[in-house]
Amino acid sequence: MSEAAIRPARVALVGNPNTGKTALFNALTGARQKVANYAGVTVERKEGFLTTPGGRSLSILDLPGTYSLRARSPDEAVTRDAVLGRLAGEVEPDVVVAVADATNLRLVLRLILELKAVGRPMVLALNMYDIAQRQGLRIDLEGLQRELGCPIVTTVATRKRGIQELTAKVDELIASGALSTANVWHEPSAAEIRGAHREAQRILKAYVRPPEHPDTFTGKVDAVLLHPVAGLAILLTLLFVMFQAVFAWAAPLMDGIDAGFAWLGAMVGQVLPNGLIKDFIADGVIAGVGSVLVFLPQILILFFFIILLEDFGYMARAAFLMDKIMGGAGLHGRAFIPLLSSFACAIPGIMAARVIDQKRDRMTTILVAPLMTCSARIPVYTLIISAFIPNRIVGPGLNLQGLVMFGLYAAGIISALAVSFVIRKVFWRGAVEPFLMELPTYKLPSFENVFRNLLLRAQIFLNRAGRIILPLMVAVWVLSTFPGPPPGATEPAIDYSFAGMIGQAIQPIFAPIGFNWQMVVALIPGFAAREVAVAALGTVYAVGDAEANVGALGARLAQHWSLATGLSFLAWYVFAPQCAATLGVVKRETNSWAWTGVMFAYMTTLAYLASLVVYHSAVALGGG
Amino acid sequence: MHELLADQAVAVEAGLTRLSHVRPGDRGVIVDVRADHATGHGVDVHELERRLLEFGFVEGAAFEIIHQGLFGADPIAVRLDDMRVALRRRDAEDVWVRLDAK
Ligand SMILES: Nc1nc2c(ncn2[C@@H]2O[C@H](COP(=O)(O)OP(=O)(O)OP(=O)(O)O)[C@@H](O)[C@H]2O)c(=O)[nH]1
């Protein structure tokens, strides 16, 4: 038996960002993909499989784009380590496929020279060859092949052209037993980078004739999209549409999912006998899964926009336009989209922070994202505002309740900017990373690519976030269910549960900010998802179906709470990390319990301080 | 330090400008990429120099400034040979260029 039959030959795709590696990966492997994380880091590992016409099975690895093997971000470090065979649990690739944008060869040639030093057998895929031909770019493939000493295949990944030739070449290379040469790669010094540039320049001059019709489209579009004023206006409009879509398009789907799970819960309720098992399945598992799944439409719609704009080449432009504004608060231009997404839900926002390649910038963004007012806070805000803030007109078109709502949103934004400012000034002083970013040429996104990436996002969200979120949901259910109420109990069941006991035990901590123990009890199931707090308040104040009956609950709260307490509760909700799902995603994205702990601690502290100030100010002003 | 200033004076005399000082529409050639500015980059100057080089800010490269941001005219977008790169002015200080006569 030959070795090829025992394990697939490993092929790694390496190239600059935006050269079409992912498109090529999709064209090569189709649906035979699997996504996981590399051991110990949160960088995605995308592997796919295919069988060559010659019957050899190949495993293809899609590596993060890079300009050099001298890695600067965690993503790029993965590419370097994968190519060098240094990754834990990975073997070095049998063949490296260098993916190049045929219309932009300068930088990739330098990377290819570095790859040659590594010494693995290599094939060069000249991708985007359709664009090169349209531009009338002439490449002497024979000469270039001779010069670089590796076979060259021209490809159009989005139309699956050249794919068979590429696999054939890879197959041939393996079959011929092409051996690796000694690895002589080392981190290039500045002088060596200059040398490599000169070499690349020489090669370009010798084998590539500049395009007859260079791309003018990108320049024309940029004249509008990067215009200092019009560009910003377009960006804001785009964001408005996106924001609108996340709320409006998702709403019916979310209602559908909610209704579906409610129906499922009811069905189970009918089939199973009354008792703990039924409660666990209906209220713990089904309601728990439902409360996670309900985010899926928002996440997919959001990622649909993000992937589309990314593939078109717009994301780098958005970062360019926003960089100065975000920079004032110590944030990276690319943090804009994640933070905006967080208005829908912090989960996709935090996931979208992947587009930021500098670790510190990314961490800052993740840490402040949950301060943006997510949609799950709206039910809580609505309830408290309707109970305590008079519905009064305070000016032309200004309603006091609306004004308070707006104030809460503003408080979230201002505090997010302030926190990131403090993080930059206090903890990472002077550590502003350089901001260097290629502005890729605009390209028409391919439908298949967008669809495949979207599918991938859904899969990742369900698989991995669910693995952390669901157990937390179940834990919260257990806490608020056990032990059950004694026979003849008069109070709601939750009062006798662990959640009730914890609530009453820790209430003294919350006394200074004006919370009574019922509120503290409600906070505990509210931890599963913020809006659940409304239902929980309904439970402890014994108002049936509180979410549908906000008026009655509001009236009850107004009887039991002082104005100061109500305002204090609002202030708490602006800051408190009241969402297990968010913490779960932060853990997954940062791969660190420490960072998750930092977020929890700082947000809780802020929430407590804010409530303290609000409560005592309100009492002093006579709202006690 | 003195030497450095003298050095820069020579550069200015030779008709060189920092890339951080250019305006949209300016074209020219990159003459010198240095590692002078020691502070405020979160990475050391040699690292910054290498990053600039890796993005194609290399001696001899032709450039044109195509765009700048609204606030503080920052960042700038530079067309470098056949690609476009965005960077902040503060990161462009060590790139010395000769502007074409207009
Ligand atoms: N016309 C044309 N467009 C292509 C081709 N290959 C990829 N594209 C488009 O180029 C854009 C970038 O492709 P990706 O596959 O996301 O590039 P990538 O190298 O994976 O990018 P990173 O993941 O950012 O490193 C997408 O809009 C693709 O649809 C091609 O051969 N021809």
Side-chain angles (χ1 to χ4, degrees), chain A residues 67-68 70 72 103-104 106-107 110 187-190 193-194 197 215 218 222-223 226 228-229 232 317 320 323-325 331-333 358 360 430-441, chain B residues 32-34 39-43 46-59 66-78 80-88 90-91:
Chain A
Y67 292 97
S68 162
R70 205 178 64 77
R72 298 159 304 166
T103 62
N104 189 0
R106 195 174 306 270
L107 295 192
R110 227 198 54 249
E187 278 215 356
S189 65
I193 299 175
R194 286 189 169 91
H197 261 300
D215 164 54
T218 298
D222 269 346
L226 286 187
V229 180
L232 269 178
R317 270 81 182 179
F320 177 88
D323 183 62
K324 194 69 183 180
I325 301 168
L331 286 162
H332 194 280
Q358 305 296 350
R360 286 183 183 130
V432 180
E433 300 271 348
F435 175 85
L436 278 162
M437 189 177 61
E438 188 179 346
L439 300 172
T441 46
Chain B
D32 198 2
V33 181
R34 301 187 187 174
T39 51
H41 282 295
V43 297
H46 298 285
E47 174 61 26
L48 180 63
E49 180 192 10
R50 287 199 283 182
R51 287 194 194 182
L52 286 166
L53 291 171
E54 277 167 2
F55 269 90
F57 291 93
V58 64
E59 288 84 356
I66 44 180
H67 297 284
Q68 62 184 19
L70 177 60
F71 305 101
D74 200 31
I76 50 175
V78 185
L80 261 182
D81 291 320
D82 34 15
M83 62 182 282
R84 283 158 304 272
V85 181
L87 79 169
R88 291 185 186 148
R90 61 195 301 270
D91 297 324

Side-chain angles (χ1 to χ4, degrees), chain A residues 505-529:
Chain A
I506 61 176
Q507 191 268 336
I509 303 176
F510 289 89
I513 60 173
F515 285 19
N516 57 30
W517 72 264
Q518 286 93 337
M519 293 164 73
V520 180
V521 172
L523 287 183
I524 295 171
F527 191 67

Side-chain angles (χ1 to χ4, degrees), chain A residues 272-551:
Chain A
L272 291 178
N274 276 345
L276 265 185
I277 298 203
K278 176 179 130 181
D279 285 351
F280 176 72
I281 304 235
D283 299 342
V285 177
I286 295 181
V289 171
S291 64
V292 178
L293 267 185
V294 81
F295 291 120
L296 193 62
Q298 286 192 333
I299 289 182
L300 288 188
I301 292 173
L302 199 69
F303 270 106
F304 172 72
F305 278 94
I306 291 179
I307 293 168
L308 210 63
L309 293 178
E310 185 97 64
D311 275 9
F312 180 58
Y314 185 73
M315 276 315 196
R317 270 81 182 179
F320 177 88
L321 290 169
M322 290 308 294
D323 183 62
K324 194 69 183 180
I325 301 168
M326 309 290 293
L331 286 162
H332 194 280
R334 292 202 176 211
F336 187 60
I337 300 291
L339 291 186
L340 188 93
S341 316
S342 302
F343 278 109
C345 171
I347 295 171
I350 288 165
M351 284 164 70
R354 300 164 176 271
V355 297
I356 305 170
D357 43 10
Q358 305 296 350
K359 180 158 186 215
R360 286 183 183 130
D361 288 322
R362 187 166 162 220
M363 284 300 176
T364 315
T365 309
I366 290 177
L367 283 180
V368 303
L371 289 175
M372 297 299 183
T373 302
C374 66
S375 52
R377 284 181 177 101
I378 295 176
V380 181
Y381 286 176
T382 313
L383 170 68
I384 307 293
I385 287 177
S386 70
F388 291 97
I389 309 293
N391 192 0
R392 220 175 41 213
I393 304 295
V394 288
L398 285 181
N399 169 300
L400 189 59
Q401 292 190 334
L403 216 55
V404 170
M405 188 64 128
F406 177 79
L408 293 169
Y409 269 86
I413 298 172
I414 293 168
S415 53
L417 296 179
V419 168
S420 71
F421 186 77
V422 169
I423 292 176
R424 285 329 286 230
K425 287 294 168 220
V426 177
F427 300 106
W428 289 326
R429 203 158 359 145
V432 180
E433 300 271 348
F435 175 85
L436 278 162
M437 189 177 61
E438 188 179 346
L439 300 172
T441 46
Y442 290 109
K443 299 203 180 66
L444 275 191
S446 102
F447 172 77
E448 200 199 323
N449 257 349
V450 173
F451 179 72
R452 230 178 247 299
N453 283 330
L454 210 54
L455 215 62
L456 199 69
R457 287 301 132 206
Q459 197 189 336
I460 289 171
F461 172 73
L462 294 178
N463 269 356
R464 293 188 268 168
R467 247 187 271 163
I468 299 175
I469 295 166
L470 189 58
L472 279 170
M473 300 292 187
V474 172
V476 166
W477 176 82
V478 168
L479 283 180
S480 24
T481 307
F482 293 103
T490 48
E491 302 295 318
I494 193 172
D495 289 7
Y496 303 94
S497 68
F498 287 120
M501 290 179 217
I502 297 170
Q504 292 174 42
I506 61 176
Q507 191 268 336
I509 303 176
F510 289 89
I513 60 173
F515 285 19
N516 57 30
W517 72 264
Q518 286 93 337
M519 293 164 73
V520 180
V521 172
L523 287 183
I524 295 171
F527 191 67
R530 288 182 170 94
E531 69 271 29
V532 177
V534 172
L537 280 173
T539 315
V540 285
Y541 283 108
V543 174
D545 195 8
E547 277 179 87
N549 206 351
V550 169

Side-chain angles (χ1 to χ4, degrees), chain A residues 17-23 127-128 130-131 156-158 311 443 446:
Chain A
N18 287 307
T19 50
K21 284 178 306 303
T22 304
N127 195 35
M128 316 232 179
D130 53 335
I131 305 180
V156 183
T158 41
D311 275 9
K443 299 203 180 66
S446 102

